[in-house]
């Protein structure tokens, strides 16, 4: 995943090279924004997850309403919080 | 569009959101709190990481970010980012598109950082009606989320069983 990420950066740099001076190249700006790489954790969790576990959540009324609600909708459900005790697999759901 | 975190059929919620993201101008961002990484996971690094994912999904890095980068570089000793600066950029860019922010293990964010992170997320949601926030965490932080986001929050409780994660 991180390899793909740097590949993306390279291709974007080439495509947009006329927009940036060499000292402002895209990968430098991205690294300046944050040194953290949560997509690495995302990949690791995905590799550990057992298929089908927790899939029920995608079918709940709460999840569908949260995902589909539009800005025009008066009933604002912008935040969905999944709580559970340690070890129930919350990270695998995300 | 480029999705930084990738859609690789390896996760549930993020993957489902990504299905939609390829159809629309949507960006999905994620963050995993980890108590062992609490020193690096400061609010500015956490929010900066969301911003990094948001701008990586764009064809070009937004001008506001490039400008800020140049200004900071000119500062004495190359001043680093601050929460207010990151928040401003996040708000500006998130308001123009449909965005999903997914945050795992909020309870593993240290309390002092959690206050700043939750308040920042609240401000992003307030300024950007097309932003949705997905959070997981232990029940002990539920009241903090409730207090910060009030009635705009839906709660789902996850209970363990022998054959996996169920409600």
């Amino acid at each position: 995943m991180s390899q793909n990420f740097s590949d993306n950066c390279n291709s974007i740099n080439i495509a947009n090279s006329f927009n940036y001076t060499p000292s402002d190249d895209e990968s430098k700006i991205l690294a300046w924004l944050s040194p953290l790489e949560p997509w690495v954790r995302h990949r690791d969790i995905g590799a550990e997850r057992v298929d089908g576990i927790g899939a029920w959540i995608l079918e709940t009324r709460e999840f569908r309403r949260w995902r589909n609600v539009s800005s025009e909708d008066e009933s604002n459900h912008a935040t969905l919080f999944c709580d559970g005790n340690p070890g129930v697999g919350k990270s695998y759901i995300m | 569009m480029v999705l930084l975190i990738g859609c690789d059929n390896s996760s549930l919620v993020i993957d489902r959101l990504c299905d939609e993201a390829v159809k629309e101008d949507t960006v999905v961002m994620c963050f995993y709190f980890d108590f062992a990484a609490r020193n690096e996971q400061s609010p500015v690094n956490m929010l900066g990481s969301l911003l990094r994912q948001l701008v990586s999904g764009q064809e070009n890095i937004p001008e506001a970010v490039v400008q800020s980068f140049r200004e900071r570089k000119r500062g004495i000793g190359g001043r680093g980012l601050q929460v207010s600066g990151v928040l401003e950029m996040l708000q500006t860019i998130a308001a123009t598109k449909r965005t999903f922010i997914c945050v795992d293990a909020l309870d593993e964010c240290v309390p002092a950082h959690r206050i700043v992170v939750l308040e920042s997320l609240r401000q992003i949601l307030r300024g950007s009606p097309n932003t949705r926030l997905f959070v997981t965490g232990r029940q002990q932080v539920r009241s903090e989320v409730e207090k910060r986001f009030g009635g705009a929050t839906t709660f789902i409780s996850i209970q363990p069983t022998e054959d996996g994660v169920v409600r």
Side-chain angles (χ1 to χ4, degrees):
Chain A
M1 189 74 67
S2 47
Q3 185 56 47
N4 289 342
F5 170 63
S6 45
D7 287 344
N8 286 340
C9 282
N10 291 339
S11 59
I12 289 169
N13 280 342
I14 292 160
N16 299 329
S17 52
F18 55 89
N19 280 337
Y20 303 109
T21 62
S23 60
D24 285 347
D25 68 273
E26 180 155 334
S27 57
K28 270 190 194 164
I29 297 178
L30 294 177
W32 170 73
L33 289 175
S34 180
L36 304 179
E37 301 186 328
W39 45 93
V40 174
R41 174 97 164 115
H42 176 70
R43 181 197 54 199
D44 291 348
I45 285 180
E48 292 166 11
R49 200 175 70 85
V50 178
D51 271 358
I53 279 189
W56 60 270
I57 200 167
L58 303 176
E59 307 310 322
T60 58
R61 192 172 60 91
E62 289 92 339
F63 179 81
R64 289 144 90 102
R65 187 176 59 180
W66 169 81
R67 190 190 61 164
N68 295 325
V69 73
S70 69
S71 51
E72 292 79 31
D73 196 331
E74 288 296 316
S75 58
N76 190 348
H77 299 280
T79 305
L80 184 61
F81 182 80
C82 285
D83 65 58
N85 289 319
V88 298
K90 296 185 294 297
S91 296
Y92 294 110
I93 278 180
M94 190 171 112
Chain B
M1 67 170 297
V2 181
L3 266 173
L4 182 56
I5 56 176
C7 298
D8 47 12
N9 293 310
S10 62
S11 66
L12 282 171
V13 167
I14 288 174
D15 216 54
R16 178 62 65 95
L17 297 175
C18 284
D19 287 346
E20 197 172 299
V22 294
K23 285 179 275 173
E24 302 171 25
D25 190 16
T26 301
V27 181
V28 183
M29 295 161 266
C30 72
F31 195 84
Y32 295 83
F33 278 110
D34 178 0
F35 190 71
R38 61 191 177 281
N39 292 330
E40 305 94 272
Q41 292 186 338
S42 61
V44 72
N45 278 352
M46 183 272 181
L47 295 164
S49 151
L50 296 180
L51 180 59
R52 182 172 166 170
Q53 293 172 68
L54 182 57
V55 303
S56 296
Q58 315 286 303
E59 207 172 317
N60 297 307
I61 292 191
E63 193 53 33
V65 176
V66 178
Q67 282 299 337
S68 179
F69 176 72
R70 288 177 181 164
E71 282 164 22
R72 292 290 176 183
K73 269 205 327 186
R74 281 200 295 268
I76 298 164
R79 289 170 62 201
L81 276 166
Q82 291 176 348
V83 168
S84 58
V86 177
L87 192 53
E88 199 177 308
M89 290 186 270
L90 262 176
Q91 282 174 311
T92 307
I93 303 164
T96 64
K97 34 188 83 257
R98 188 164 160 78
T99 53
F100 290 97
I101 300 174
C102 301
V103 179
D104 184 54
L106 182 65
D107 53 279
E108 296 198 33
C109 173
V110 295
H113 290 171
R114 202 152 65 218
I115 292 169
V116 180
V117 166
L118 283 175
E119 175 57 22
S120 300
L121 292 171
R122 191 184 71 82
Q123 288 189 33
I124 294 168
L125 290 180
R126 195 178 55 185
S128 167
N130 285 316
T131 295
R132 295 285 168 271
L133 175 64
F134 181 86
V135 184
T136 77
R138 294 183 192 178
Q139 279 161 346
Q140 72 209 38
V141 294
R142 177 176 167 147
S143 61
E144 283 179 48
V145 172
E146 213 158 18
K147 188 176 152 197
R148 192 66 61 175
F149 300 109
T153 310
T154 302
F155 294 93
I156 296 182
S157 286
I158 302 163
Q159 307 290 342
T161 63
E162 282 174 9
D163 54 349
V165 184
V166 298
R167 198 165 191 177

